[in-house]
Amino acid sequence: MMLHMVSPVSGEEKLEWGDHPDLVKPEIVTQSNKHSKLLVVFVGETVDLTCKVLFTSQPVSDIKCYGNGRRIMKPENHTVEIQDGYALIEDTFKIGNITEEMDGTAVSCEYSKGK
């Protein structure tokens, strides 16, 4: 089965998905999905997904992870690194016990400064 990893969403900050061995680009890349990825998983698996915010100002806000528009959970691992006055944020989210009904789920992470 596959999860559709929707492009991370942000106002001004740059977001990206972290490295994951099972994340792949769509077979046909279009303007609307060029930053999206697919994740191949098996029923019963647990998946750790990482979302990164590159170069935001302090104070930092939380990254939020959604599955089909519903907030999935808070991050299990939250790191903030300061470089040259800018913050780099990396949050890892766990999606446990993948079910057959989750096939085709759109997963996204979002970051909004000050929220």
Side-chain angles (χ1 to χ4, degrees), residues 64-109:
K64 296 178 178 142
C65 187
Y66 295 89
N68 285 339
R70 199 178 98 242
R71 184 135 184 219
I72 295 176
M73 80 250 9
K74 294 187 180 252
E76 291 216 339
N77 187 18
H78 174 81
T79 59
V80 178
E81 183 180 329
I82 307 300
Q83 291 183 356
D84 300 323
Y86 290 97
L88 291 86
I89 309 166
E90 186 171 302
D91 285 355
T92 301
F93 299 88
K94 184 179 290 286
I95 301 176
N97 195 24
I98 302 292
T99 65
E100 208 171 299
E101 292 77 26
M102 296 170 79
D103 191 20
T105 295
V107 178
S108 65
C109 65

Side-chain angles (χ1 to χ4, degrees), residues 27-46:
E27 190 172 312
I28 298 173
V29 178
T30 65
Q31 186 65 26
S32 64
N33 76 358
K34 69 179 179 179
H35 297 293
S36 296
K37 302 225 174 151
L38 299 175
L39 179 64
V40 179
V41 292
F42 292 100
V43 171
E45 278 190 314
T46 295

